[in-house]
Amino acid sequence: MSSSGPSSSGEVPTVLVKDSEGRDLLCFLEQLIPLDGKDYALLTPVDTPVCLFKLRDGDDPQLIDSITSSEPILSVADVVLQEHDLTLVRSAVTLTVNGELDEPEPEDPDDEEGDDESETYELLVSFLVENQEYGLYIPLDPFFVVARMDDGCAVLVEGEDFDRIQPRIEAELDERDLPE
């Protein structure tokens, strides 16, 4: 029986993933999935992924899913995180936080209706920028990254390529999880 997951010594290999803009993200290699003669890697970030939300009184927080790394909001977030001995990293795929974090407590702080599209988050820090409140939240669901392995280098699978390959990777993983 062979395994394409972590070695039996318990050490999980790490891979540096690059996106189309040249940013990188250090990840743990969780699974290798061969498809169409290429190896695809299922990865999880080494640092803690975080999501930026705009907070509004009485309304659900609004996810900000597109932000440039030079955005003033992130400079303020940097300063706030430094007060907690944490560092904001503008990585490929997602923002991440480097440093010692307390274990998140599973709760659903802002989503009482529970629609299927929503994830569960824990507020890490909140801060004000020009009288607007923002928050950095940690997703409590696992955060996976898909990369294609090319000559030992991991290249992020993005856009249409991701849309095309994701269902096939999920099907392969479902098949692997079936009891023999």
Side-chain angles (χ1 to χ4, degrees), residues 75-149:
S75 299
V76 175
D78 275 329
V79 172
V80 172
L81 287 170
Q82 287 170 10
E83 293 171 5
H84 299 277
D85 295 323
L86 300 170
T87 306
L88 184 65
V89 182
R90 293 149 177 85
S91 309
V93 186
T94 185
L95 295 170
T96 58
V97 171
N98 182 297
E100 274 309 305
L101 291 172
D102 296 331
E103 277 298 308
E105 295 176 22
E107 59 182 74
D108 202 359
D110 300 303
D111 180 33
E112 292 167 14
E113 290 155 25
D115 70 62
D116 292 338
E117 289 295 309
S118 69
E119 291 184 48
T120 306
Y121 297 90
E122 179 186 5
L123 178 64
L124 177 61
V125 293
S126 61
F127 51 93
L128 286 173
V129 177
E130 298 176 7
N131 295 321
Q132 172 61 59
E133 189 175 10
Y134 294 90
L136 284 176
Y137 283 78
I138 301 170
L140 297 177
D141 292 336
F143 188 95
F144 291 106
V145 176
V146 176
R148 185 180 58 256
M149 301 303 291

Side-chain angles (χ1 to χ4, degrees), residues 9-25:
S9 68
E11 264 187 54
V12 179
T14 57
V15 176
L16 191 62
V17 180
K18 290 217 178 278
D19 69 6
S20 58
E21 296 178 24
R23 295 175 300 194
D24 52 28
L25 177 65

